[in-house]
Amino acid sequence: MANKLPIENGIVMDITSLIDINVICLDLKSTSKASLLEEMVNILNDAGKLSNKQQFLSDVWAREAIGNTGFEDGIAIPHAKSTAVITPSVAIGISRTGIDYGAEDGLPSDVFFMLASTDGDDNQHIEVLSQISIRLIEDGFTDKLKAAQSKEEALALFTDPTQPEELI
C-alpha cells in the first residue's frame, strides 16, 4: 500500500508521485545556504518540475524571508508555492559536510527537503509538510536516509509499504 495525501475534491494523491529518483541527491556540493537553494532548485528544474527556475528560486527566498526553514537535528525544509511549478515535487538532498542554514539549534544542516507546490495548492502543501514531519520523527529515519548508498535506497524509505500505518 502506498503513502497517500488527501487533496481537494476527494482526489487522493500518492506521496510517491512527488518523489522520484531524479529529485534525490545524496551528495550535495553546496557550502552555503544560497548555493544550496540554487542546487536544489536546479535538481527540480533538471527533472522537469519547473517552468522557470529563477522564479521558483525567488519564491523560495521570499518564503525564507517570512521565516527560516532550518530546524533542529540537521533538517531544513525550504519550500514555496509558485506559478513556476509544473509538477508538484519534493527534492531530497544530503550534504556530507553540513551547511550553515541558520537552523534553530545553531548547528549545520545536512538533510534537505525542498517542496515545490503549485501556487494556490494550500492543502497539498500542508499535507506534504505534515508527511515529511511524520517521517522525521520516526526513530532512526534520518540516520537511514543519510546512510542510503543509492537514490533507490533513499526512495525506498518513502515508498516501502512496511512504513508506519499513519502514513498510509
Side-chain angles (χ1 to χ4, degrees):
M1 188 178 296
N3 301 320
K4 296 180 180 178
L5 294 176
I7 58 174
E8 290 185 43
N9 302 323
I11 298 170
V12 177
M13 176 176 280
D14 181 344
I15 191 172
T16 61
S17 69
L18 302 178
I19 304 169
D20 63 54
I21 296 296
N22 298 315
V23 293
I24 298 173
C25 179
L26 300 178
D27 192 19
L28 294 168
K29 303 301 182 201
S30 299
T31 58
S32 69
K33 181 176 181 174
S35 64
L36 174 276
L37 294 179
E38 284 187 39
E39 186 174 2
M40 296 289 288
V41 167
N42 283 333
I43 290 167
L44 290 166
N45 190 64
D46 292 348
K49 309 294 184 183
L50 306 175
S51 62
N52 182 328
K53 71 179 184 177
Q54 286 310 120
Q55 178 61 53
F56 184 68
L57 181 60
S58 176
D59 292 338
V60 170
W61 276 112
R63 171 56 188 87
E64 288 293 314
I66 294 170
N68 187 25
T69 58
F71 302 99
E72 295 179 350
D73 301 321
I75 307 298
I77 310 176
H79 56 278
K81 292 177 278 185
S82 175
T83 59
V85 174
I86 297 170
T87 306
S89 188
V90 178
I92 300 167
I94 305 294
S95 169
R96 300 298 173 189
T97 58
I99 296 168
D100 180 3
Y101 196 86
E104 294 172 354
D105 58 9
L107 298 174
S109 298
D110 56 2
V111 177
F112 300 90
F113 297 91
M114 180 174 273
L115 279 63
S117 298
T118 53
D119 195 28
D121 200 352
D122 294 340
N123 283 354
Q124 180 185 1
H125 193 76
I126 291 166
E127 287 295 331
V128 172
L129 286 168
S130 173
Q131 292 291 312
I132 289 172
S133 297
I134 289 168
R135 287 284 189 204
L136 292 174
I137 60 172
E138 283 178 35
D139 194 30
F141 177 80
T142 53
D143 290 335
K144 289 178 193 173
L145 184 58
K146 290 190 277 189
Q149 296 297 305
S150 68
K151 292 179 179 186
E152 292 81 5
E153 190 179 335
L155 182 61
L157 292 171
F158 293 90
T159 60
D160 183 347
T162 64
Q163 294 301 324
E165 277 300 308
E166 66 265 16
L167 297 177
I168 299 174

